[in-house]
Amino acid sequence: WWLVRLYQKVAGWVIGLGTAAFLILYQWVVEPAAPGSLPVRAFAHAAQTFLRPLMLGFYSNASDFTRRLTSVKANGKFSGPDAGPDEDWGGREERLWEVVAAIKKRYGVNYVYCWHGLPAYWAGVMPSSPGMQKYAASIMFAQPTPGVLEIEPSMAWNPAVLAGVGVLHDPRHLYNDMHEYLQDSGVDGVKVDCQAGVGLVG
C-alpha cells in the first residue's frame, strides 16, 4: 500500500516538473522565436510527431477545440430550466423547448439565439456518431499556408492541425435538420462562428 502511494507521489512530482519545464521552454524559447526559426520549426515537428498525444490531451482537457458534434439535438444539460452543466445529466432527455420558454418568460426575453460553429462545432462533426453518420462527414487535417505560418507560427500545432475537423461535403442537410430542431424548440435564430477555419481546411 505505501509503495503505491509513494509511486503516485513520485509520478505526480515528475509530471509536475515535466509540465513546468515544458511551459518554461515554450514561453522562453518557442514563443519569442522568430517565425521560421529553428526553435519554431523544431517545436512544430515535435508537436506533429512525438508530442502530438500530449498536445491532444492538453487541448481536450483545456478547451472545447477538439470536440465534435454528435447530435443535432441538445444534450441532457437542457433537460429543464434549472438543469446545468455541473449536475449528472447523463441519460436525461433533452427538453430544449422548455428551457427556451422558461428563459423568455422568466427574464422577459423576446428572442433566444443559439450558437453553433460553421463546421457544426469547434472540431466539426463526429463521423462515427450514430446521429451523424447520415451526413457523411470525414476528418480533414488543417494545413495552414506558409503566409499564415509566417504571421502566426503556432497555427502549426493548432487543434485543427493535430486533431482534424469533421467536415461535411454538403452541410445543407445538417443545417436544415439543426435549424428545424432549434426552431421547433422556440429558438429565434443562430449565431454562426468559426468562419476562420474555412481557409485551414479548404
Side-chain angles (χ1 to χ4, degrees):
W1 166 251
W2 66 270
L3 192 58
V4 172
R5 298 279 295 153
L6 179 64
Y7 173 78
Q8 290 173 337
K9 281 190 175 193
V10 171
W13 294 335
V14 170
I15 291 170
L17 288 172
T19 302
F22 174 80
L23 291 173
I24 289 169
L25 171 75
Y26 185 82
Q27 290 174 342
W28 290 2
V29 178
V30 179
E31 208 170 58
S37 65
L38 180 60
V40 170
R41 290 195 322 264
F43 189 81
H45 175 74
Q48 293 174 10
T49 54
F50 66 91
L51 281 182
R52 187 169 185 260
L54 297 173
M55 298 288 287
L56 289 173
F58 169 76
Y59 286 137
S60 66
N61 290 323
S63 72
D64 289 334
F65 296 128
T66 57
R67 296 188 186 190
R68 298 191 175 104
L69 189 70
T70 58
S71 173
V72 295
K73 294 188 174 184
N75 59 31
K77 286 186 277 189
F78 298 91
S79 60
D82 297 319
D86 298 329
E87 299 176 24
D88 180 15
W89 47 267
R92 287 189 187 177
E93 185 179 329
E94 62 83 23
R95 297 172 65 85
L96 182 62
W97 62 270
E98 192 176 299
V99 174
V100 172
I103 289 171
K104 288 181 176 181
K105 183 177 180 183
R106 189 179 294 173
Y107 300 106
V109 175
N110 294 323
Y111 303 102
V112 171
Y113 283 68
C114 287
W115 174 98
H116 73 75
L118 190 60
Y121 202 59
W122 290 110
V125 170
M126 178 66 78
S128 61
S129 172
M132 294 288 111
Q133 289 176 350
K134 68 179 183 177
Y135 302 112
S138 58
I139 302 296
M140 292 182 68
F141 291 87
Q143 297 179 344
T145 65
V148 168
L149 292 174
E150 184 177 343
I151 295 168
E152 187 58 62
S154 65
M155 291 301 287
W157 50 89
N158 179 285
V161 171
L162 299 180
V165 178
V167 175
L168 299 161
H169 299 289
D170 185 357
R172 291 177 296 178
H173 303 297
L174 174 69
Y175 292 156
N176 288 340
D177 290 349
M178 191 184 318
H179 296 166
E180 182 179 343
Y181 162 73
L182 291 171
Q183 185 177 19
D184 290 346
S185 299
V187 173
D188 301 289
V190 294
K191 190 269 187 199
V192 181
D193 203 349
C194 312
Q195 295 89 343
V198 172
L200 289 175
V201 293

